[in-house]
């Protein structure tokens, strides 16, 4: 799935920056004696590796206590969960509005993650993954893409160029995944339903930043 989104993405990116074993069958014949065979001792449970996974809907935090989720649409729950991982909630930073717009947006910024929302907390959040980990916990997309991933890894994950005229092997921005957003209209493909997707920003052939969710139906 490819969309021509280069100009819209440039504006959006600018705003967000401001923002056990199985036994083999026995071949022995019948025996007149039956000896009880002890059950194999279960192997120790594999150690759970903590991680934060960002999807188009929100985040999932996995650690030794299990997996906890929060959606972008439930902003307070989302911020609380991120704060649990990050060790606290920072003061929001006012985002300068682009010329001609008045959004009253703020960023919550940690080393590795930036959350972008409005001052009233009545709109869904979006995020920019800016580092490979959040408070030492690896952070990635549901496709396994992280800051520091290579372009080849993105190609293997199905990355597509935002502009049909570009090649994902050389483009500065690519999309990963994506799904239709019912009730929206694509600004880049008139007559088509809009889509939401994961936006990946390269520095050469290495992932510099990941923005989730991005879309092709908002003008910023």
């Amino acid at each position: 799935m490819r969309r021509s989104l280069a100009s819209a993405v440039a504006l959006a990116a600018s705003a967000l920056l401001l923002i056990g074993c199985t036994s083999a069958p026995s071949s022995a014949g019948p025996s007149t004696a039956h000896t009880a065979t002890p059950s194999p001792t279960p192997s120790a449970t594999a150690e759970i590796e903590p991680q934060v996974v960002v999807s188009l809907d929100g985040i999932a935090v996995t650690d030794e206590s299990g997996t906890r989720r929060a959606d972008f649409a439930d902003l307070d729950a989302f911020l609380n969960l991120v704060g649990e991982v990050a060790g606290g909630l920072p003061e929001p930073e006012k985002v300068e509005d682009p010329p001609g717009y008045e959004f009253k947006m703020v960023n919550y910024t940690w080393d590795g993650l930036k959350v972008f929302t409005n001052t009233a907390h009545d709109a869904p959040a979006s995020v920019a993954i800016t580092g490979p980990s959040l408070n030492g916990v690896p952070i990635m997309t549901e496709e396994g893409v992280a800051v520091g991933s290579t372009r080849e890894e993105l190609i293997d994950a199905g990355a597509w160029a935002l502009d049909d005229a570009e090649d994902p092997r050389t483009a500065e921005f690519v999309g990963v995944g994506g799904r239709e957003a019912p009730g929206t209209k694509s600004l880049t493909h008139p007559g088509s339903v809009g889509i939401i997707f994961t936006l990946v920003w390269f520095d050469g052939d290495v992932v510099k930043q990941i923005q989730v969710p991005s879309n092709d139906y908002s003008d910023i």
Side-chain angles (χ1 to χ4, degrees):
M1 184 186 306
R2 297 181 179 180
R3 297 291 188 269
S4 299
L5 301 174
S7 60
V9 165
L11 184 57
S14 175
L16 191 50
L17 277 175
L18 293 170
I19 65 160
C21 298
T22 301
S23 301
S26 173
S27 59
S31 173
T32 56
H34 299 278
T35 303
T37 302
S39 300
T41 302
S43 58
T45 302
E47 183 178 350
I48 296 175
E49 294 290 339
Q51 63 179 8
V52 177
V53 176
V54 182
S55 71
L56 295 178
D57 299 305
I59 64 168
V61 176
T62 300
D63 54 26
E64 66 279 356
S65 66
T67 299
R68 308 182 302 286
R69 295 180 171 81
D71 291 343
F72 291 126
D74 189 347
L75 184 59
D76 289 336
F78 182 85
L79 288 173
N80 286 338
L81 184 52
V82 173
E84 285 181 23
V85 179
L89 190 67
E91 289 296 319
E93 305 165 342
K94 178 71 173 65
V95 176
E96 184 178 351
D97 293 325
Y101 293 87
E102 187 176 356
F103 292 125
K104 297 182 179 180
M105 306 302 289
V106 294
N107 282 328
Y108 291 86
T109 304
W110 296 266
D111 185 15
L113 185 71
K114 180 173 291 189
V115 177
F116 185 66
T117 187
N118 67 2
T119 56
H121 281 202
D122 58 3
S126 61
V127 303
I129 303 174
T130 59
S133 63
L134 177 63
N135 196 25
V137 180
I139 183 168
M140 67 200 73
T141 71
E142 56 187 346
E143 295 87 6
V145 177
V147 169
S149 291
T150 66
R151 188 179 294 272
E152 282 303 314
E153 289 172 322
L154 266 292
I155 297 299
D156 290 344
W160 41 274
L162 302 184
D163 189 320
D164 292 335
E166 293 186 323
D167 185 333
R169 295 184 177 276
T170 57
E172 182 179 10
F173 296 95
V174 298
V176 179
R179 66 168 186 250
E180 292 186 346
T184 67
K185 297 180 180 180
S186 172
L187 296 178
T188 55
H189 282 191
S192 297
V193 176
I195 62 169
I196 61 173
F197 59 93
T198 296
L199 172 67
V200 178
W201 188 354
F202 284 106
D203 180 5
D205 288 324
V206 177
V207 175
K208 172 183 180 179
Q209 185 177 131
I210 304 166
Q211 299 181 11
V212 192
S214 189
N215 69 72
D216 71 345
Y217 53 83
S218 298
D219 59 0
I220 186 168

